[in-house]
Structures are given as C-alpha cells and as structure tokens.
Amino acid sequence: MRSRLLVSALALTVLGTVAGCANSDTPAGAPATDASGSSVASFDPTTVAKDDALAGQVPAALKSKGTLTVGSDTSYAPAEFLKADGQTAQGYDVDLAKAIAATLGLKASVQTAKFPSILPGLGSKYDVGISSFTINAERLKAVNMVSYFQAGTQWAVKKGNPNNVSVDDVCGKTVGVQTGTVQETPDLTDRNAKCKAAGKPAITVVSLENQTDVTTRLVNGSIDAMAADSPIISYAITQTNGQIDKLGSVYDAAPQAITVAKKDTALASLMQKTVQKLIDDGSYGKILASWNNSDGAVKTSELNPQP
C-alpha cells in the first residue's frame, strides 16, 4: 500500500498515447467520461452541509484562514489524480477532503505534492495530508493518523503474463513501484533480502515518483510487473482497456489515514470526529460509491490506531 496504498475503456487514440508517453494529455489514471466529457463520478461534496458543532472546534488560526490546505500526490488514480487539464485534482480522497472542509465551514485547497514531501510539510505547508497513507508504526511515531479507508497490496502484469511472473518468487524480475510506498519498502526490500539469502538474482526495482508512469512502463513492457494499492490496480486495468492483468490475491490489507502534524492533536481529533460524522450521515459512502470503491469502506474512523 501507499505507505500510501474508473470507468469505461479509454479511447484507442488515448491508449496509444499512454502506451508511448507518460506525459499524454489524458493520464493513464484519467476517469471515464460521459458524452459531455464529465467525469462518471457523480457525488458533489460541496453539497455537504456545515456542522456547527464541529465547525466550532476548528482551531482559531485555521478558522481565520478559512481554507483547509491538503497535501496530496495527485498521480494515484482513483484516489487522487489530475483531470485532463493537468491542474484540477479529483478522486475519492479529493472528494473526501472537500466534504471534510464543507462540514467544518471551510474551503478545501488540494495541492499537488511529491508523495515523500507531504509528511515533512504537515503543520507548515499543509494542514493535513490526504494521499492514501497506509498506517504503520514508523508513521505513527512521526504524525497523527486518522483512519478512513482499507486497502491491500495487489500486483499486476502485462496481459497474459508473458514473462511468467509469480508473486511467490520475483527474484530476477523487474518490478515497478511508486517511490515511498510500502510496496517499495518494506515489501520489495524484504523480498530482495530473501532472494540474496537464497542465492538467487536480485529484483530490479524501478521506483518512480508517479504511479501513472509505473503503469505506463508495464503497458510498454519495460517492466515485468508492478505492485500498488488494490484500488489503483483495479482502476489501471479498466483504464488501460485490459492491457494488464491482476497477479495473485490482495494481501496485507490495512487502514489508510489522513495525516496531521504530531503536535496538532486538536486538529487530528477534529479530523477523526468529522470523518466519523461523514460515515454516519452517508456522505462518505456516497463518495466511495461514486468512484466504484465501496469495497474499501470502513465503519469507524480511529485516531492513531495501532497497526
């Protein structure tokens, strides 16, 4: 998982562009659109009503600013990614951020950031990080984490698995991951240690900043497999028109969390209460359903749950 861990096929012309270049006008993670070009996702988080009781608990500095600044690596469809304009963020994490802000009487500003830079920027550059952060012991030491989603690790290969990759033994294979994810460390790090101990060739790990670029490498055949959060793999399969296949089963399912600076306990507690409110009133479920990711829903949001 992204330590981090939609919906019809792409047009053939777009697929050709994705296969040849990671910087196409329509990213590999772009959502399906209807005839008008609008995203299939239909829930409007700005319709979420302000909760006066929760809004009254917003820290003074944040209330004065009026905007919840969210750090997010917008290359991780369908959780957080950019529209075709290359600027506007969308995805279920983005909708959740907007719904949280609306509940608190704030506006949401989702700012694109490199994934490894988000946690260090909490409390200074960003109020919160919402970017598919998997809860683990190391992160809990550094930041507050508010659970809101469940995902596991899933692998994918080019359609038909032409390089005969097995999740049980990827020694000697070339595997793509997004930089800073749990798929990179500890998953592939541990697998590589086992390869070395067994006297087998090492895994060639291709670590890229953007998940869309990892997917493009797999479609192009320059890597043998990729590993990512389960929702990301499912979405990539749909958006590449079935050019890649799932490999093996989902494993290491764990909660993902909104991140808040360690010192900002009041804001972290408020985030937990707000997410739980959105779960209870059904807004949260509608957001996930609109992005076809209801399987990852949780019933309870927790502050700093132990992994």
Side-chain angles (χ1 to χ4, degrees):
M1 285 150 283
R2 205 173 183 178
S3 255
R4 237 176 146 310
L5 281 156
L6 285 182
V7 181
S8 62
L10 291 173
L12 291 177
T13 53
V14 173
L15 281 170
T17 304
V18 170
C21 178
N23 296 318
S24 61
D25 291 337
T26 303
T33 56
D34 59 23
S36 68
S38 299
S39 170
V40 169
S42 59
F43 181 72
D44 182 1
T46 63
T47 62
V48 174
K50 177 182 177 183
D51 184 295
D52 290 333
L54 292 172
Q57 300 175 47
V58 174
L62 181 55
K63 183 176 293 186
S64 176
K65 186 174 64 168
T67 300
L68 183 70
T69 305
V70 181
S72 188
D73 174 6
T74 51
S75 71
Y76 216 59
E80 50 268 331
F81 61 114
L82 298 177
K83 291 186 177 182
D85 62 10
Q87 298 180 344
T88 307
Q90 62 182 338
Y92 59 79
D93 276 357
V94 176
D95 283 351
L96 179 62
K98 292 178 179 178
I100 289 170
T103 301
L104 298 177
L106 303 169
K107 295 181 180 179
S109 174
V110 179
Q111 298 187 1
T112 294
K114 293 180 180 179
F115 185 66
S117 74
I118 298 173
L119 298 189
L122 293 175
S124 54
K125 192 171 184 179
Y126 313 114
D127 298 310
V128 298
I130 306 182
S131 198
S132 304
F133 285 99
T134 302
I135 296 175
N136 60 34
E138 181 181 1
R139 287 203 176 110
L140 285 170
K141 292 177 182 177
V143 298
N144 288 297
M145 306 194 81
V146 176
S147 63
Y148 71 97
F149 192 74
Q150 184 93 359
T153 291
Q154 175 75 66
W155 286 60
V157 292
K158 197 164 184 179
K159 188 173 181 62
N161 195 9
N163 295 323
N164 298 313
V165 180
S166 169
V167 174
D168 296 329
D169 183 4
V170 289
C171 300
K173 300 296 186 181
T174 301
V175 180
V177 291
Q178 186 182 34
T179 304
T181 61
V182 292
Q183 284 82 28
E184 181 178 34
T185 303
D187 196 339
L188 286 179
T189 301
D190 289 349
R191 289 174 185 268
N192 242 336
K194 292 177 181 178
C195 292
K196 182 178 180 179
K200 296 181 178 181
I203 304 163
T204 299
V205 179
V206 176
S207 177
L208 302 174
E209 289 185 350
N210 296 326
Q211 177 59 41
T212 47
D213 293 341
V214 178
T215 303
T216 298
R217 294 283 188 97
L218 185 60
V219 170
N220 286 344
S222 59
I223 58 177
D224 299 314
M226 71 178 183
D229 286 359
S230 46
I232 277 67
I233 296 295
S234 295
Y235 189 59
I237 288 172
T238 301
Q239 295 307 108
T240 57
N241 198 22
Q243 294 188 61
I244 61 177
D245 290 334
K246 290 181 181 179
L247 180 70
S249 302
V250 175
Y251 61 90
D252 288 347
Q256 295 180 341
I258 296 167
T259 55
V260 184
K262 196 66 174 177
K263 64 181 180 180
D264 205 345
T265 54
L267 181 58
S269 177
L270 181 57
M271 286 295 109
Q272 185 277 326
K273 294 174 185 176
T274 305
V275 173
Q276 189 61 54
K277 192 265 182 185
L278 293 170
I279 291 172
D280 293 342
D281 72 14
S283 300
Y284 164 86
K286 291 176 182 177
I287 290 170
L288 293 184
S290 71
W291 289 98
N292 293 334
N293 263 280
S294 297
D295 287 348
V298 298
K299 295 181 179 180
T300 304
S301 174
E302 298 180 84
L303 175 58
N304 296 330
Q306 294 303 304

